[in-house]
Amino acid sequence: MKIGIAAKLSKIEWDMYRLGISKNEVLEGYQKEGKNVDKILMSHERQRKCIEEIICSTDNAEIIDINDLQKGKSKKKEVDVLIAIGGDNFFQICAHYYDKAYLIGVNDEFAYSANTNVQAVLNDLDIAIAAGGAPKWNVITTPDGDLTLSQAAY
C-alpha cells in the first residue's frame, strides 16, 4: 500500500513561498503590520511539530507537494492513502486531486482555527459520552454546512 503525506504550508511558509522572501523578512513584515508575531510563530511551530510526528511515524511515505501540483510544477504521485495535514479547505483540495485514494485528514491547528468543524463534532461526542456512557451513533449529518451527530437508542 502506497501512502502519501500532504501538508498545508503554515502562514509563515505560505508568505515566504508567495513573496519569495526569507523567514526573517516575513516576520519583520508582520511586525511592521502590527500582527501578533508570537501567536503566528506558535501556530507555525505547532503545525511543523504535527507534520514531523506524522512523517516520523510512517515508513516510506511519499511527500506530496499540493502547491506544486496545483501550479503544474509536479506530476501527481499515485498513492492508495493520502494523509492530508491542514484544515477543512486543504482537505477539499487534496480530495480533488486524490479522489481515488483514501483520505485521512489531520487538523494541525485547532488553537486558532475559526472553522474546525471536526472539533465541534468531537466536542459533541465528548459531552454525550460524559452524560450517559457510550451511545451508538447512527448518522452524521451536515445541515447548513455544520457537522452534527444523531444518536441512536442505546
Side-chain angles (χ1 to χ4, degrees):
M1 177 176 285
K2 290 184 181 178
I3 298 174
I5 298 175
K8 176 190 83 151
L9 298 177
S10 70
K11 176 174 179 48
I12 293 170
E13 293 166 328
W14 174 249
D15 287 340
M16 289 170 56
Y17 176 83
R18 181 178 60 88
L19 300 171
I21 59 177
S22 71
K23 182 177 179 180
N24 286 336
E25 291 171 310
V26 168
L27 295 175
E28 287 172 11
Y30 295 160
Q31 286 177 331
K32 288 178 186 174
E33 295 171 11
K35 293 184 177 176
N36 186 336
V37 175
D38 289 336
K39 180 178 170 181
I40 294 169
L41 279 169
M42 286 188 313
S43 174
H44 171 77
E45 291 305 319
R46 271 192 305 277
Q47 288 174 281
R48 294 294 96 207
K49 183 179 179 200
C50 175
I51 292 164
E52 288 171 15
E53 287 178 5
I54 291 172
I55 289 172
C56 288
S57 66
T58 55
D59 292 329
N60 301 319
E62 288 275 349
I63 304 301
I64 310 291
D65 188 329
I66 293 293
N67 290 321
D68 281 353
L69 188 60
Q70 285 180 297
K71 295 181 182 285
K73 293 181 180 179
S74 67
K75 187 178 176 184
K76 179 180 168 184
K77 298 175 183 178
E78 293 303 318
V79 297
D80 301 305
V81 176
L82 181 67
I83 302 171
I85 308 168
D88 296 344
N89 187 48
F90 188 72
F91 303 156
Q92 288 180 323
I93 293 167
C94 290
H96 171 73
Y97 286 99
Y98 286 90
D99 60 334
K100 303 278 188 274
Y102 292 103
L103 180 66
I104 299 171
V106 178
N107 196 323
D108 62 351
E109 182 52 275
F110 284 114
Y112 298 114
S113 178
N115 295 309
T116 52
N117 293 335
V118 173
Q119 186 62 48
V121 171
L122 294 175
N123 291 343
D124 290 348
L125 181 60
D126 288 343
I127 291 166
I129 290 171
K136 294 183 180 180
W137 300 95
N138 63 352
V139 179
I140 296 178
T141 58
T142 56
D144 302 318
D146 292 326
L147 297 177
T148 59
L149 295 170
S150 298
Q151 185 175 346
Y154 284 87

